[in-house]
Amino acid sequence: MTGSSKFTDAPNLTQGPEGEWRRILLEFKTHGRQEPDPTHRVSLLESAQKEVVSIGPTDTVEEAFTLMLNHDYSQLSVLDGHNVRGIFSWRSHGKQVAKGRECKIVSQCIEPAAIIDLTDSIFEAFAMVARNEYVLVRDDHQHISGIVTSFDISELFAKLDTARLCTESNRVTQDLWHMQHSQ
């Protein structure tokens, strides 16, 4: 191979409605190597590198609820500077209240955070989201760079499915055209 990939040399690879599907499936990071990395990384997910709305451990539960309602979120990362203290969620708050424990300050009702690195496999992120409903994403500097939620995974698969259906529809249309014009 002379430095180019059969994927990038393909004509119209990212053109048309199937372009998003192909971009997601074929976008590889080289990480400084000549050969493409065949692993689909967490970094391919847009939300993995999108600023995270967070709250501090000493903030009030009311402040956390306000942020969650304003952004339509189910959870917030609890950060002390760049340090992850945990996750505050409707569930973590409900567990503490159900146990009769005081839960007025965020730190009183947080759970350990699920965290993955940008360079980890996207499939590992899928599994963690299935277990936790979210996973925080950590960059190369060990700072939180994003959060992937079950909503993000659903949105990704909806895009992939739409693109796949468009690709299949285009293929069927081309087959029909060829059948009509070859007779």
Side-chain angles (χ1 to χ4, degrees), residues 97-121:
V97 171
K99 293 176 183 176
R101 296 183 181 155
E102 184 175 14
C103 195
K104 294 181 180 182
I105 304 297
V106 168
S107 62
Q108 294 174 320
C109 37
I110 60 175
E111 295 178 327
I115 303 174
I116 196 167
D117 292 328
L118 270 173
T119 55
D120 288 338
S121 166

Side-chain angles (χ1 to χ4, degrees), residues 3 18 21 29 33 38 45 57 63 77 89 92 108-109 116 120 141 146 154 158 173 177 179 181-182:
E18 69 277 359
W21 175 71
K29 295 199 175 228
R33 298 185 305 270
L45 297 169
E63 291 172 297
S77 57
S89 66
S92 69
Q108 294 174 320
C109 37
I116 196 167
D120 288 338
H141 303 291
S154 297
T173 303
W177 186 87
M179 285 173 35
H181 289 84
S182 65

Side-chain angles (χ1 to χ4, degrees), residues 31-179:
H31 298 289
R33 298 185 305 270
Q34 288 291 344
E35 292 298 315
D37 182 353
T39 305
H40 298 291
R41 305 280 178 193
V42 173
S43 59
L44 292 176
L45 297 169
E46 185 179 323
S47 61
Q49 298 182 71
K50 189 175 177 182
E51 187 176 349
V52 175
V53 175
S54 64
I55 192 136
T58 60
D59 291 332
T60 67
V61 167
E62 288 79 20
E63 291 172 297
F65 286 156
T66 300
L67 276 175
M68 289 166 63
L69 289 169
N70 286 342
H71 293 281
D72 196 23
Y73 290 165
S74 298
Q75 65 278 316
L76 294 171
S77 57
V78 181
L79 301 178
D80 190 4
H82 290 294
N83 299 320
V84 178
R85 294 284 306 274
I87 285 287
F88 176 87
S89 66
W90 299 112
R91 182 178 59 198
S92 69
H93 178 266
K95 283 181 179 179
Q96 295 304 315
V97 171
K99 293 176 183 176
R101 296 183 181 155
E102 184 175 14
C103 195
K104 294 181 180 182
I105 304 297
V106 168
S107 62
Q108 294 174 320
C109 37
I110 60 175
E111 295 178 327
I115 303 174
I116 196 167
D117 292 328
L118 270 173
T119 55
D120 288 338
S121 166
I122 197 170
F123 301 107
E124 191 174 333
F126 292 168
M128 291 177 80
V129 169
R131 284 191 304 272
N132 302 292
E133 299 176 5
Y134 76 92
V135 63
L136 294 177
V137 182
R138 186 173 38 211
D139 66 16
D140 295 337
H141 303 291
Q142 303 301 303
H143 300 147
I144 298 303
S145 64
I147 184 170
V148 177
T149 66
S150 51
F151 175 82
D152 300 313
I153 303 294
S154 297
E155 192 174 63
L156 171 67
F157 281 107
K159 284 181 184 177
L160 289 174
D161 195 42
T162 300
R164 183 188 59 78
L165 289 173
C166 289
T167 302
E168 185 64 20
S169 174
N170 287 341
R171 187 191 60 75
V172 169
T173 303
Q174 289 173 356
D175 289 348
L176 288 171
W177 186 87
H178 287 296
M179 285 173 35

